[in-house]
């Protein structure tokens, strides 16, 4: 753990632990991600799905990656990416997607003084969940998790009914029957 100097309410400085998370850097790797809105009650990702898609497209044009599976829910998204051979930089891709989406929205969200001082929007959680896919079984489990997520959260009765998902593409490719997941 790293330490940072914090000021308590009583004016006394003390060391507070800070997160020391590590990311796996696998050149050309396949990664599962979960990315959340800061305010989980908002529905920005589906209400502004066109803006989110535009942010993905503009990032992809500059820093290519392959989206194997994706689901966009009101307040979070899950996706599987494969990076180009030799490339390990998913962090900058996410930074570009998040900032590209945020720039397309009116600045009407609540921002803490800390975010305002850093000129950050109050749209996204700063961090995201990342998992390196280990093998074909791990890949299959994560694809199924992604495609079942709208059913799990009560947004649709069947996976095929959720419009913001790659599930239909997988059905068209013969990987799943249309009635899978519901």
């Amino acid at each position: 753990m790293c330490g940072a100097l914090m000021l308590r309410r009583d004016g006394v400085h003390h060391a507070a632990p800070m997160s020391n998370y590590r990311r796996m850097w696998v050149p050309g790797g396949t990664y599962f991600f979960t990315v959340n809105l800061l305010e989980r009650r908002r529905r920005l990702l589906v209400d502004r799905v066109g803006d989110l898609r535009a942010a993905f497209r503009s990032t992809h044009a500059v820093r290519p990656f392959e989206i194997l599976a994706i689901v966009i829910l009101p307040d979070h998204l899950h996706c599987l990416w494969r990076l180009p051979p030799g490339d390990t930089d998913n962090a900058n891709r996410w930074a570009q997607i998040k900032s590209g989406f945020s720039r397309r929205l009116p600045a009407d969200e609540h921002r803490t003084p800390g975010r305002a001082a850093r000129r950050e929007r109050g749209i996204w959680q700063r961090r995201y969940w990342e998992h390196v896919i280990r093998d074909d079984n791990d890949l299959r489990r994560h694809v199924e998790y992604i495609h079942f997520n709208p059913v799990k959260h009560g947004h649709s009765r069947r996976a095929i009914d959720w419009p913001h998902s790659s599930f239909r593409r997988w059905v068209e490719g013969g990987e799943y029957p249309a009635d899978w997941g519901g």
Side-chain angles (χ1 to χ4, degrees):
M1 291 290 228
C2 298
L5 211 53
M6 301 288 290
L7 183 63
R8 293 193 319 217
R9 284 189 202 157
D10 60 7
V12 177
H13 285 88
H14 71 285
M18 290 180 58
S19 297
N20 186 14
Y21 61 95
R22 295 194 175 112
R23 299 227 182 260
M24 293 286 296
W25 307 106
V26 177
T30 301
Y31 295 84
F32 168 82
F33 299 100
T34 299
V35 183
N36 297 306
L37 290 178
L38 181 61
E39 295 180 38
R40 296 296 300 266
R41 63 177 169 70
R42 297 187 82 180
R43 299 182 43 87
L44 282 177
L45 299 183
V46 294
D47 290 349
R48 303 293 296 254
V49 72
D51 293 319
L52 182 60
R53 287 182 176 138
F56 267 88
R57 278 193 304 275
S58 63
T59 299
H60 184 268
V62 177
R63 306 183 71 94
F65 58 97
E66 180 184 5
I67 297 176
L68 303 176
I70 189 167
V71 65
I72 300 164
L73 299 166
D75 61 350
H76 70 284
L77 64 87
H78 300 288
C79 60
L80 276 160
W81 290 0
R82 181 171 296 133
L83 294 177
D87 194 335
T88 62
D89 192 7
N90 55 51
N92 281 319
R93 285 174 173 88
W94 276 119
Q96 285 182 274
I97 291 167
K98 287 175 161 185
S99 67
F101 178 70
S102 297
R103 281 192 303 271
R104 289 171 169 83
L105 303 179
D108 60 358
E109 76 277 3
H110 170 75
R111 292 192 306 165
T112 64
R115 280 187 184 261
R118 286 186 291 279
R119 296 179 24 184
E120 290 180 15
R121 299 285 305 269
I123 306 286
W124 298 99
Q125 290 184 7
R126 286 193 183 115
R127 297 188 183 142
Y128 53 86
W129 171 256
E130 163 198 297
H131 168 77
V132 176
I133 300 299
R134 296 181 305 270
D135 55 33
D136 288 342
N137 186 48
D138 195 27
L139 178 66
R140 181 190 51 77
R141 286 186 308 106
H142 282 86
V143 168
E144 290 177 359
Y145 179 84
I146 286 170
H147 291 146
F148 190 71
N149 219 251
V151 177
K152 171 186 165 187
H153 288 287
H155 297 299
S156 66
R157 293 187 57 178
R158 303 176 311 158
I160 195 84
D161 296 334
W162 187 249
H164 312 297
S165 167
S166 58
F167 183 70
R168 288 188 184 106
R169 183 177 45 133
W170 284 72
V171 170
E172 290 165 7
E175 298 293 327
Y176 291 96
D179 63 353
W180 180 92

